[in-house]
Every structure is written in C-alpha cells, then in structure tokens.
C-alpha cells in the first residue's frame, strides 16, 4: 500500500487566512507560541475542520505553559523547537491524544547519535535548517545529510521548502527514507504569518500526489 505524505502549513496567524488554508485540507496547521517570532500567535483560532490537526510550536517553554496552550487551543500536536530534553518530551507524552514532534536543527556537522535518547520520547522528529533563528530561517539544509539517518522513526522535513522543490522531494522519497510529512512556512507566504492560498493549494495537491 502506498503511503500519502502528510502536509503541514506552519506559522498561521490571521483568522480569515487560517480558515482559507484550513479549507484546503492540509493535515496539520502550525501555530507558533514563541514571542520572538514574527509569526507569534496570540489570537483566537477560528472554527476549522476537525481533520486538520492544530499544532502548537514551542521554544523552551515550560510543561505548564505547553499544557495550558494545549487546553486553550484544543491542540492535537505539540512541536518542540528548542533544547528540550528527552525526559521533557517523555513527560509531555502523558498528555492524552497529543502527538509529540521534536525538532532538530540540521547542518553538515549534525550528530545523528543524539536521536537515540529521543526514540521513545516523541512520535516524530522534525528536521529543520540550522540558522540564526529557532525556525523560519527561509532556506533549506543539504538533504544529502539525511542519508546518514539511522532510524526508522518517521519524520517531518522542514526548512525553506517551496514550489521549486517538488523534484527534489520526489528524489528524496525514492531513497526509502521514512519521510512522514513536508512542513511549509515562509516560501508560501505573502508576509510573515499570511499564507498565499494559491501556493498552499499547489503545495497540498502536489504533495498529495507524491507517494513513497
């Protein structure tokens, strides 16, 4: 059976835009609860389809803060984008019905051995570009690094991905790596937190047609 690659649109901010993008049926919508981000979210999430998983993105927040946001926004997934430990991730797994996604910043010097401690502590890894910011740096890392990936745990691929990357995504999937989802953000925007509906629709339709 072929597995459909999931799609995450991250960095949502504006109510009408959230509803418009949610109507395109991505699998995940990301809301950034990090005050230093240009896409920091502190509004009300409008009503969207229950099939779209609302994902809270946190950077070194406390368990109490994360738990409060999960309840406030009825989140279905938590993405940890800081230096959270494996024990911290494991503690969050006690939250019922919440997927835990642990982000790792990638460059040529990344040591894949650090993943071993997190194997039982999260549901998915997310590989993003290492840059000045915790995320949203707007450029891709060298995906050839992933050929060293030692695990079977499925992962999200992130980091400046846009419409120019369709061929590269197809080539990556042909390697047999356990890519679970493609995470889009800045390359589909008109302004920070404001997504281009046409580009998002193209991204979702294209990825939905790419299979492993």
């Amino acid at each position: 059976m072929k597995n459909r690659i999931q799609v995450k649109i991250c960095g949502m901010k504006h109510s009408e835009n959230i509803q418009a993008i949610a109507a395109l049926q991505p699998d995940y919508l990301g809301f950034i609860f990090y005050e230093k981000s240009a896409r920091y979210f502190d509004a009300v999430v409008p009503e969207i389809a229950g099939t779209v998983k609302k994902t809270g993105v946190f950077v070194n927040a406390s368990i109490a803060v994360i738990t409060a946001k999960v309840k406030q926004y009825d989140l279905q997934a938590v993405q940890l984008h800081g230096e959270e430990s494996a024990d911290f991730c494991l503690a969050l797994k006690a939250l019922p019905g919440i997927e835990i996604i642990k982000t790792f910043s990638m460059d040529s010097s990344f040591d894949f051995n650090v993943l071993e401690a997190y194997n039982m502590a999260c549901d998915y890894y997310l590989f993003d570009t290492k840059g000045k910011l915790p995320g949203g740096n707007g450029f891709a890392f060298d995906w050839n690094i992933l050929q060293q990936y030692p695990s079977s745990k499925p992962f999200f691929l992130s980091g400046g991905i846009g419409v120019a990357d369709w061929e590269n995504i197809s080539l990556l999937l042909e390697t047999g790596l356990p890519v679970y989802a493609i995470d889009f953000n800045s390359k589909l925007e008109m302004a920070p937190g404001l997504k281009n509906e046409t580009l998002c629709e193209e991204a979702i339709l294209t990825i939905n047609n790419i299979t492993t």
Side-chain angles (χ1 to χ4, degrees):
M1 180 180 294
K2 294 180 178 180
N3 298 315
R4 185 178 65 83
I5 302 301
Q6 306 278 293
V7 175
K8 176 170 173 277
I9 308 292
C10 198
M12 304 304 301
K13 191 169 181 178
H14 305 284
S15 183
E16 290 185 4
N17 194 231
I18 291 168
Q19 288 183 304
I21 301 306
L24 300 174
Q25 290 292 296
D27 300 284
Y28 296 79
L29 275 185
F31 301 89
I32 298 175
F33 299 108
Y34 177 59
E35 293 185 1
K36 295 181 180 180
S37 172
R39 301 170 183 87
Y40 173 60
F41 185 80
D42 62 353
V44 175
V45 177
E47 186 174 347
I48 61 176
T51 54
V52 180
K53 295 179 182 178
K54 289 177 287 186
T55 305
V57 180
F58 301 90
V59 180
N60 298 325
S62 68
I63 288 178
V65 166
I66 295 171
T67 300
K69 294 294 187 185
V70 166
K71 293 179 179 178
Q72 179 181 354
Y73 291 99
D74 187 27
L75 303 179
Q76 287 79 51
V78 167
Q79 179 179 322
L80 302 171
H81 227 293
E83 290 80 42
E84 299 86 1
S85 69
D87 287 342
F88 186 95
C89 297
L90 198 59
L92 282 176
K93 279 182 70 69
L95 295 173
I98 301 297
E99 296 178 4
I100 305 298
I101 305 163
K102 181 66 184 85
T103 299
F104 296 91
S105 298
M106 309 297 289
D107 64 9
S108 60
S109 64
F110 182 75
D111 180 5
F112 282 93
N113 291 322
V114 304
L115 300 179
E116 185 175 356
Y118 291 86
N119 189 49
M120 301 299 294
C122 60
D123 298 291
Y124 305 102
Y125 301 134
L126 185 149
F127 298 128
D128 196 2
T129 306
K130 186 173 184 178
K132 293 181 179 180
L133 303 173
N137 287 288
F139 59 96
F141 64 92
D142 182 0
W143 294 353
N144 289 320
I145 298 168
L146 296 173
Q147 299 306 318
Q148 304 172 45
Y149 185 58
S151 174
S152 60
K153 183 180 287 294
F155 61 84
F156 287 67
L157 181 64
S158 187
I161 300 173
V163 296
D165 296 304
W166 303 149
E167 183 177 354
N168 289 334
I169 290 172
S170 295
L171 292 173
L172 180 67
L173 297 178
E174 289 176 5
T175 66
L177 286 164
V179 181
Y180 171 73
I182 306 297
D183 187 350
F184 296 96
N185 193 340
S186 60
K187 293 297 185 181
L188 303 185
E189 288 185 331
M190 297 177 285
L194 183 63
K195 299 304 189 279
N196 182 305
E197 293 178 37
T198 300
L199 291 180
C200 287
E201 182 175 26
E202 178 183 343
I204 292 167
L205 290 174
T206 301
I207 298 302
N208 283 349
N209 289 322
I210 295 177
T211 56
T212 54

